[in-house]
Amino acid sequence: MRPAAASVQTASAYPPGGHPPGAQPNAARPATAPPPPAAHAATADAVVLEQDRDNAYCVEFSPDGRLLASGGWGRPVRFRDALNGGLVRELRPAGQSVYDLAFSPDGALIATGGRDGTLAVSEVASGKKARSRKPGGSAVRAVAFSPDGALILSAHEDGVGRLWETATLNRLHELRAEGETLFSAVFSPDGTHIAAACSDGAVRVWLTAGGEPRLLHKHTGWATGVAFTQDGTRLLSSGADGAVQLHVLRTGEVAGVLRAGDGMINSIALSPDGMLVAAAYETGAVTVWEIVSGRHETLSGHAGHVNAVAFSPLGRALASAGKDGTVRLWR
């Protein structure tokens, strides 16, 4: 996958490293980041791994890269062989509809976040549900395991991030962004911080141990996705304004902005080598940038919103899930 030339506005060199409910966001662009020329529409090879009548909302590779899991509206969580696309097994999630899922670092467990507010943990090998919690009626928009696998984070539409012990699903404490939906949330690589993309456009960063958050530079409209670089010093975020921002965590400075035309971004993913960032657009496009050069490639194939993207840990294979009910694998 070799991205085509585009533009990126940077203040300093950057080292390699679904549609939310509610009112429509303000889609105006930040004045500091004018749009680049139209992106090249790529003809990359894509395999449709599954076609379902219901919305495919999330997709994720197992840590060893052998399995690809997907979920969505009224559909089972499906585990597929990431090499040949064959169906390995299915599990029926609590609440039936899943916004997000995440593998534990050892690949033995999968956590799912339900539209009905249920957090569930299941065994990957058997599909058996191990335990679940429903702390309230607020949907779980994102789930994540800590790097050591000891904790699970559930991020909710009620503006609360809840931390749980993986072994017991006992609740430890909460991280609050009062009145704001948490659309995406992740742990830092060392597990000491949690970052969340929020409906007021801000990226909030908490200490995992708790306390008040730091607010990083806002997107115009919702902030929809967030990802740490491998060294944990920088943070990428996406928004309803169609921008991917590069934040310096220590200073809060925006080191650069990536753009590839109009349209809301629903989620982002960083490649294992830290060289590429992929974005899922409401326009049906998947865009992949080289972070250093700003070159990008746009992959076409989905009909309607692309809700999620994920890179394989084994390389640059990319999976996507869309409102058209498809899960696609791009190589």
XYZ file of all heavy atoms in Angstrom, residues 37 73 77 187 195 212 291:
61
model
N -5.584 19.105 -1.678
C -6.201 18.711 -2.938
C -6.898 17.369 -2.785
O -6.599 16.593 -1.882
C -4.993 18.608 -3.891
C -3.934 19.443 -3.253
C -4.150 19.340 -1.784
N -24.798 -4.349 14.861
C -26.210 -4.336 15.233
C -26.833 -5.701 14.994
O -26.855 -6.197 13.867
C -26.979 -3.327 14.387
C -26.870 -1.890 14.697
C -27.582 -0.897 14.085
C -26.052 -1.220 15.655
N -27.240 0.328 14.606
C -26.297 0.154 15.572
C -25.097 -1.661 16.583
C -25.666 1.092 16.376
C -24.453 -0.731 17.388
C -24.753 0.622 17.279
N -20.879 -11.679 17.362
C -19.454 -11.404 17.209
C -18.874 -12.589 16.450
O -19.031 -13.747 16.863
C -18.769 -11.236 18.574
C -17.251 -11.153 18.398
C -19.283 -9.989 19.269
N -5.816 3.107 26.504
C -4.723 3.227 27.461
C -3.449 3.659 26.726
O -3.240 3.315 25.557
C -4.438 1.880 28.129
C -5.430 1.468 29.177
C -6.535 0.704 28.843
C -5.239 1.814 30.506
C -7.450 0.289 29.807
C -6.139 1.416 31.485
C -7.244 0.655 31.136
N -6.769 8.104 27.416
C -7.224 9.217 26.582
C -8.586 8.872 25.994
O -8.858 7.715 25.654
C -6.239 9.492 25.462
N -8.601 14.589 37.848
C -9.189 15.435 36.818
C -8.428 15.292 35.503
O -7.204 15.102 35.498
C -9.182 16.900 37.259
C -10.095 17.187 38.436
C -11.549 16.878 38.111
O -12.026 17.322 37.043
O -12.197 16.190 38.911
N 2.437 9.163 7.956
C 2.411 10.274 8.907
C 3.532 11.266 8.654
O 3.326 12.482 8.739
C 2.477 9.729 10.354
C 1.239 8.878 10.644
C 2.557 10.878 11.354
C 1.231 8.232 12.006
